[in-house]
Amino acid sequence: MQPNEWLSRSYSDLLEELKEFLRFSSVSAQPQYKSELYATAQWLKGYLEKLGFVVQLIGEPPVVHGYYESSGEAPTVLFYGHYDVQPPEPLELWVSPPFSPRIADDSIYARGACDDKGQVFIHLAAWKYFVEAYGKLPVSIHVVIEGQEETGSETLYQVLAAHGMQWRSDVVVVSDTGFFSEDIPTLTIGLRGIVYGEIVVQGPSRDLHSGSFGGVAPNPAFGLSSILAALKGPDQRVCIPGFYERVRPISSAERQLWRSLPADEAHYIRLMGAPAVVGEVGFSPLERIGSRPSLDINGMYSGYTGEGSKTIIPAQAVAKVSMRLVPDQDPTEIWQLFKSYVESVTPPGFSVEVRLLHDPAPAFETPTESPYYQAAEKAIQEAFGKRPVPIREGGSIPVLSALQKSIGGAPVILMGFGLPTDAVHSPNEHFRLSQLRKGIHAAIRFYEQAALVRSSSAF
Ligand code: BES
Ligand code: ZN
């Protein structure tokens, strides 16, 4: 049976199953959702077992591992995804509740609809197709779906150290990235790394009356502001000495390729809903996102932020700061440079603590020469009608480098189907149903094509 025929028949059942998956509030950042994470992992286990996988839940929150052994010479594909989601707040901005999936405008709305449950579901559905159409899968599969991607993958790092070698595979496939736009299918060939830390500036030992002490007390909100202001210059470049030292120049082939995409400033202004694009002079927006490092403040707080006024000089000010890294920056070195620079620009009158919030992760790149990359190209071409453009994305999947290493170094294929308008990490996250449907078609074709690559000639 052809994928499209099966999809037409199975579509409404598949949507119901996806809704079940999306109803779990599997938020990894907040401790009160622990049992929901476990329930989501159980649901995945049940789904995979019905397809014939041997499944175990490992660690806390569980890493779901499933194995399906196909016959003979077939290569082994490792699928990686995550079932945890970002916190849904601010709730009042959602048109419908984040864990009550709703279908409207050819999209399914829910937290995790795109990142990453909807995209994990694409593969569950593709495997279901093979089981229903042929009674078996064309390749052997290790499936690894974790519940902590959005918070640093702590459990998976441990699980990989213990089990990674038993999960050796010929190729890794991940659907946790996106297309450039709906009519420009994309294969991601690079992701940025990330270093994420917190700056805590301490002034007085407690909040003080701002009348009695204003004029003599060192105000940590000002202390923090001057530190933050020293991080970037008016030219938008990061001022940390050595920050750009190892950054690999952009090749002329890449510059050429990306010039052909309709990625001008107006495109990003529309996507962001902001009045202007900012960034380093001399680089296009696409280059700034994919090939240049960046530094951002992800949150900051100090003093009284409730309603009305309170006349205090705060004791503390905190900022959460992350840096997105590109090849060949070294994340540990960047952290050290950041830490010493922040300490050196802290004004007198304050003490500063700079602490790491996640394991630093390097940028990640995928080869385009492997036969599995060609398999993905063919699959996308067939399902979406156009040859995919290789692109570097600015987001991170920090655990990928460790995952790749621990399973034997196989090439990774980043075959994601999200759209830049899907509102991932934002209120009203959604996933376009046409992307879901064509994504399932593409995934089916990918596994079929992968089956034709002899496992010995893989890499
Ligand atoms: N799906 C994203 C990664 C992503 C985002 C890829 C945008 C391509 C474009 C993933 O779930 C994610 O959000 N990762 C985090 C990692 C962080 C929490 C350490 C990220 O990039 O912020
Ligand atoms: Zn995410």
Side-chain angles (χ1 to χ4, degrees):
M1 194 190 318
Q2 286 303 307
N4 271 331
E5 189 193 338
W6 178 81
L7 271 165
S8 299
R9 275 195 215 174
S10 317
Y11 197 57
S12 55
D13 288 350
L14 292 173
L15 277 186
E16 285 313 307
E17 290 171 354
L18 173 57
K19 283 186 189 164
E20 276 179 26
F21 190 20
L22 290 171
R23 270 186 207 113
F24 297 101
S25 39
S26 49
V27 178
S28 53
Q30 297 162 3
Q32 71 266 31
Y33 293 105
K34 195 173 155 177
S35 62
E36 281 289 304
L37 285 163
Y38 188 75
T40 321
Q42 283 289 355
W43 183 88
L44 281 166
K45 182 170 188 277
Y47 200 102
L48 290 165
E49 281 174 346
K50 267 194 234 150
L51 297 177
F53 284 78
V54 177
V55 186
Q56 43 176 346
L57 302 186
I58 316 168
E60 185 64 62
V63 170
V64 180
H65 171 262
Y67 182 62
Y68 182 100
E69 188 162 359
S70 189
S71 46
E73 299 274 273
T76 303
V77 178
L78 187 144
F79 170 78
Y80 163 81
H82 63 96
Y83 65 81
D84 66 318
V85 299
Q86 287 274 327
E89 290 81 12
L91 291 175
E92 65 280 9
L93 295 185
W94 285 78
V95 172
S96 52
F99 300 106
S100 306
R102 168 179 65 101
I103 290 177
D105 332 311
D106 190 43
S107 296
I108 183 156
Y109 285 78
R111 170 58 86 230
C114 170
D115 182 8
D116 183 29
K117 287 173 172 173
Q119 301 210 61
V120 165
F121 189 75
I122 282 177
H123 292 262
L124 299 181
W127 301 332
K128 192 176 188 195
Y129 162 77
F130 290 114
V131 171
E132 292 192 353
Y134 303 104
K136 69 179 178 71
L137 303 187
V139 289
S140 293
I141 293 182
H142 281 293
V143 31
V144 178
I145 308 175
E146 67 156 319
Q148 266 176 333
E149 192 273 346
E150 301 289 8
T151 51
S153 303
E154 197 185 329
T155 305
L156 182 56
Y157 280 108
Q158 290 164 17
V159 169
L160 286 172
H163 299 270
M165 278 318 281
Q166 298 141 29
W167 301 345
R168 280 186 79 90
S169 298
D170 299 296
V171 61
V172 177
V173 63
V174 182
S175 293
D176 193 22
T177 52
F179 278 14
F180 175 79
S181 66
E182 197 168 5
D183 49 3
I184 305 187
T186 313
L187 272 168
T188 301
I189 56 165
L191 289 170
R192 288 194 287 188
I194 185 166
V195 173
Y196 199 133
E198 193 166 62
I199 304 173
V200 183
V201 177
Q202 182 79 38
S205 62
R206 62 188 192 286
D207 290 357
L208 300 173
H209 191 292
S210 64
S212 313
F213 296 96
V216 294
N219 185 321
F222 273 114
L224 178 64
S225 304
S226 78
I227 295 171
L228 296 175
L231 289 172
K232 269 194 199 174
D235 58 359
Q236 298 293 323
R237 277 174 63 92
V238 175
C239 301
I240 303 168
F243 185 77
Y244 293 98
E245 195 168 305
R246 295 185 203 280
V247 171
R248 190 194 302 164
I250 306 172
S251 75
S252 53
E254 283 195 355
R255 284 208 133 164
Q256 203 55 42
L257 178 68
W258 292 333
R259 249 181 230 142
S260 62
L261 291 172
D264 57 5
E265 296 209 344
H267 171 79
Y268 287 96
I269 288 173
R270 266 196 310 278
L271 282 177
M272 298 188 298
V277 160
V278 298
E280 252 185 300
V281 191
F283 297 94
S284 71
L286 208 55
E287 289 167 352
R288 289 177 199 156
I289 292 170
S291 304
R292 299 293 297 171
S294 64
L295 179 152
D296 268 293
I297 302 167
N298 301 107
M300 53 203 281
Y301 54 93
S302 182
Y304 182 66
T305 56
E307 241 177 89
S309 62
K310 185 181 182 193
T311 46
I312 53 156
I313 291 164
Q316 234 184 30
V318 181
K320 293 177 188 286
V321 175
S322 65
M323 287 160 277
R324 299 282 175 169
L325 309 184
V326 297
D328 301 310
Q329 286 178 297
D330 173 345
T332 314
E333 180 186 41
I334 292 293
W335 174 249
Q336 285 309 329
L337 293 175
F338 171 77
K339 193 169 171 346
S340 347
Y341 181 71
V342 168
E343 285 161 359
S344 75
V345 296
T346 301
F350 306 101
S351 61
V352 69
E353 199 192 326
V354 189
R355 45 180 191 239
L356 201 55
L357 294 181
H358 295 169
D359 273 349
F364 188 77
E365 293 184 284
T366 72
T368 51
E369 303 83 45
S370 96
Y372 294 107
Y373 184 85
Q374 287 152 15
E377 277 187 320
K378 274 198 189 158
I380 290 179
Q381 162 112 44
E382 182 175 334
F384 291 86
K386 281 186 193 160
R387 194 183 160 84
V389 182
I391 200 177
R392 289 179 190 273
E393 287 204 84
S396 313
I397 309 178
V399 77
L400 277 186
S401 309
L403 173 81
Q404 181 181 41
K405 210 178 282 170
S406 70
I407 59 107
V412 176
I413 306 298
L414 299 170
M415 187 173 67
F417 303 99
L419 294 177
T421 45
D422 284 344
V424 295
H425 294 204
S426 299
N428 304 308
E429 177 177 351
H430 55 282
F431 193 35
R432 189 67 64 79
L433 292 177
S434 54
Q435 292 294 107
L436 173 75
R437 191 178 164 132
K438 292 180 197 168
I440 297 170
H441 188 171
I444 291 170
R445 289 299 187 227
F446 173 75
Y447 289 106
E448 284 174 354
Q449 290 292 323
L452 304 175
V453 182
R454 290 277 307 258
S455 111
S456 52
S457 65
F459 61 98

